[in-house]
Amino acid sequence: MVAVIDPHVLRSLHRSELRRRILLYLYEIYPSATYLSEIARVVGSDPSNVRGALVGLGNRYNGESSLVYLGLVEEVVNNGFKYYRLTEYGKKVVEMLKDYQSYYRKFM
Amino acid sequence: MSRRETLVKIVDTNIDHMISLSVLHLAQLGIKYGIFKAVASRPSYGELLAQIGVPNKPLLMKLVEHLKALGIIEETPTNLILNGFSYELKFPNEDYLLLLPDWIPMFEEIYKMVDFALISPHHPHVLMDFDKDADFWDIRLSSSFHSSYRELILRVGGIDRGVEVLDLGCGSVSPAFFGRHVGESGIYVGVDYSSGLLDIARARVEKENLPVELKELDVAVMKPHNSYDVAIMSFVLEYIQNRRNVLGRVLESLRDGGRLVVVDVFRDEFNNVEALEFFEGLNGDFIGYPAKAEIKRAILEEGFDVSFEDVGRSVLLVRKL
């Protein structure tokens, strides 16, 4: 089955600078996985905000819009540690986002 | 079978199945919104519209009109009636290998949009506007169905290094694709009225530094000033009111021996195109699919000396003599 990108996914990313920064970093290191505090350090944000963007967090972050829920990032558990890695679908979405930057700028 | 023949079959077959599934989804809408149940009691047109509780009455009327065009509903001078419609879904063995899976999820998105469009034509979940919803269109235009007809255009139009191409209604994907093929010694000029689609196209073209020129113009009123070897009109005529004028201007822009490649769901080649037209009509600029005969007649009436070649059912090649 060919992965089809839901335009609503693209638009939700367009509305969240933090989600976009996380995705772009995971794209840079793809296919490697990394841990939450490393992502937080690179994107310049608090680990709790990064966790919210990745998997959702209480009522501050909508879990249904989180990167893991949307299938863009996967959570890998190894020796009790959680790592995050861009999925194949996430990679495709990032590549599309790059092409859409000037188009989305009109809505900002 | 040559690659060109295979591509012709792929494009034609997939259009057939797009139409088939659209017929079924149109019938599903008739059941879902209680239209058939209401028509069973032979209401007048006005009574039916009043009975069906959707806010967007113009779209409801359009839905009824398309159900009439397909012969599912019939209108007498006084009322609407059902006439025992039956529809056979055919999947010949030879079609299976030609079917492309990735247009299905796109259409599923569009089928879902109808529910929102029946609330309001401007509902945010209706993503059919070329400019506002350029991302959704780009996803559609990136599918393997669209890739197949682009490759077919390449072969039918003889687009190769050094060729000068004019593409009307170029969208977001074709510019980079054809730009790669014409190379530095050729030129590809893409025209589209959607700045959103052109923004996406430009990002790709600049990334590869391709010999592509993009112009934000309405094809319906533009007048090409240069001469070209090939002109492309793929799935654009259904958005143009005055087709004869546009075709005349495009033929004028072709050099002697130049080729115009038209790709479309020609209404005189495919059955039940009205079903597909209903869903594509969620885009406010959509007018309706053209007929091949209409295009040929318009070109001849404009006084051009041309030869026509039917390439399967969805492609028309016009050679300027």
Side-chain angles (χ1 to χ4, degrees), chain B residues 47-58:
Chain B
E47 285 168 344
L48 175 74
L49 295 177
Q51 274 179 52
I52 307 300
V54 297
N56 187 353
K57 296 295 181 188

Side-chain angles (χ1 to χ4, degrees), chain A residues 11 99-100 103-104 106, chain B residues 132 135 138 195 204 207:
Chain A
R11 286 169 190 207
D99 290 341
Y100 293 173
Y103 155 65
Y104 281 146
K106 284 193 274 193
Chain B
K132 187 168 62 69
D135 49 359
D138 180 67
S195 61
R204 291 174 179 151
K207 213 187 308 181

Side-chain angles (χ1 to χ4, degrees), chain A residues 1-2 4-5 7-8 10-11 96 99-100 102-104 106-107, chain B residues 102 105 127 131-136 138-139 195-196 199 204 207:
Chain A
M1 185 67 184
V2 182
V4 173
I5 293 162
H8 300 296
L10 289 168
R11 286 169 190 207
M96 281 208 145
D99 290 341
Y100 293 173
S102 60
Y103 155 65
Y104 281 146
K106 284 193 274 193
F107 302 100
Chain B
D102 62 350
L127 308 174
D131 214 15
K132 187 168 62 69
D133 307 307
D135 49 359
F136 178 71
D138 180 67
I139 293 164
S195 61
D199 280 342
R204 291 174 179 151
K207 213 187 308 181

Side-chain angles (χ1 to χ4, degrees), chain B residues 72-93:
Chain B
I72 302 177
I73 290 177
E74 201 179 312
E75 188 175 12
T76 72
T78 53
N79 52 14
L80 296 168
I81 56 171
L82 290 168
N83 59 7
F85 173 81
S86 73
Y87 184 73
E88 191 181 358
L89 189 61
K90 291 178 183 167
F91 278 88
N93 270 355

Side-chain angles (χ1 to χ4, degrees), chain B residues 154-167:
Chain B
L154 206 64
R155 290 164 190 271
V156 169
I159 298 171
D160 209 345
R161 302 199 84 68
V163 171
E164 299 189 343
V165 179
L166 173 66
D167 189 353

Side-chain angles (χ1 to χ4, degrees), chain B residues 42 94 140 220 222 234:
Chain B
R42 295 173 160 254
E94 62 272 19
R140 277 189 86 180
M222 72 168 285
S234 56

Side-chain angles (χ1 to χ4, degrees), chain B residues 294-309:
Chain B
E294 170 199 353
I295 295 169
K296 291 176 182 177
R297 194 171 52 247
I299 291 170
L300 293 174
E301 283 173 356
E302 283 290 301
F304 289 100
D305 203 1
V306 295
S307 71
F308 297 112
E309 186 187 337

Side-chain angles (χ1 to χ4, degrees), chain B residues 109-128:
Chain B
E109 285 291 328
I110 296 168
Y111 300 144
K112 275 189 268 177
M113 288 178 205
V114 176
D115 293 332
F116 300 111
L118 282 165
I119 298 166
S120 161
H122 309 296
H123 195 289
H125 285 190
V126 180
L127 308 174
M128 291 290 276

